[in-house]
Amino acid sequence: MEKSEFITEAIRLRPILYSIAYKYLGNGDDADDIAQDAMLKLWTLRPQLHMPIDSLATIITHNLAKDRLRRQQHTINIDDIECDSPPDDTQSNDARVAHILAIINSLPPLQQMILRLRHMEGMEYHDIAHITGSSEQAVRKAISRARNQIKNKYLNEENE
């Protein structure tokens, strides 16, 4: 696609991409950022693009908006969680954390690695998939299984 063609399409598509992003985010500034990021991605793909680019631009905008929403999801700090009963002297928060880390260390090496990459390093699923050489879906499933194992082991050991 030629530069002049791209500019013409960009002028036509930008309001459409903005409205798509605004539907997801409900914030004009964020929607504008998403529309701009989508246009930038399209610009980098410009040599391979062929008309029409509406559907590709729409998909890119949807994905960028969803990624922004995922990153904005609030996480709960473990220290802010109130227990039904106060912890007794024998098991302080430090002991609980040490107990959970011991359980993590007992997991298979791949599960340990992806849990640490996701929760301690804050990496995205697609980056972990690239590092491990597996699919993003496989990484999500492995993390889910590891979390369930940790929860079950923790609860079983607490009840004993």
Side-chain angles (χ1 to χ4, degrees):
M1 175 179 279
E2 295 296 320
K3 182 178 178 180
S4 60
E5 280 181 299
F6 182 83
I7 291 171
T8 304
E9 281 298 297
I11 291 169
R12 184 182 67 77
L13 282 174
R14 185 155 171 81
I16 297 167
L17 301 183
Y18 174 85
S19 67
I20 292 169
Y22 189 82
K23 285 178 188 175
Y24 277 98
L25 303 170
N27 181 335
D29 291 338
D30 287 344
D32 194 44
D33 289 346
I34 294 297
Q36 184 65 31
D37 289 347
M39 297 308 298
L40 183 61
K41 281 189 180 267
L42 288 168
W43 176 257
T44 59
L45 295 171
R46 185 180 53 85
Q48 296 94 13
L49 292 178
H50 301 287
M51 294 296 287
I53 61 170
D54 297 38
S55 58
L56 178 62
T58 302
I59 290 170
I60 289 172
T61 305
H62 280 281
N63 290 341
L64 289 171
K66 287 178 183 178
D67 286 346
R68 175 76 56 97
L69 285 173
R70 284 186 192 118
R71 278 186 261 124
Q72 288 177 349
Q73 285 180 343
H74 299 289
T75 57
I76 298 172
N77 187 354
I78 293 175
D79 295 331
D80 294 340
I81 298 174
E82 293 183 22
C83 298
D84 292 339
S85 61
D88 57 358
D89 295 333
T90 59
Q91 191 172 24
S92 66
N93 284 338
D94 291 340
R96 287 183 182 155
V97 170
H99 185 204
I100 291 171
L101 288 174
I103 293 171
I104 291 172
N105 289 335
S106 71
L107 294 174
L110 181 62
Q111 284 183 340
Q112 286 182 39
M113 181 179 71
I114 61 174
L115 270 175
R116 287 190 172 104
L117 289 174
R118 177 71 180 153
H119 295 294
M120 294 176 187
E121 300 297 324
M123 293 181 73
E124 297 293 327
Y125 290 110
H126 64 274
D127 294 329
I128 297 169
H130 180 72
I131 289 172
T132 60
S134 59
S135 70
E136 188 174 333
Q137 184 179 13
V139 170
R140 287 179 187 273
K141 187 169 235 167
I143 288 177
S144 176
R145 286 180 179 160
R147 288 175 184 153
N148 283 332
Q149 281 184 314
I150 292 167
K151 180 183 82 171
N152 291 337
K153 281 185 180 181
Y154 184 82
L155 292 175
N156 287 339
E157 292 174 8
E158 286 294 309
N159 289 334
E160 291 176 2

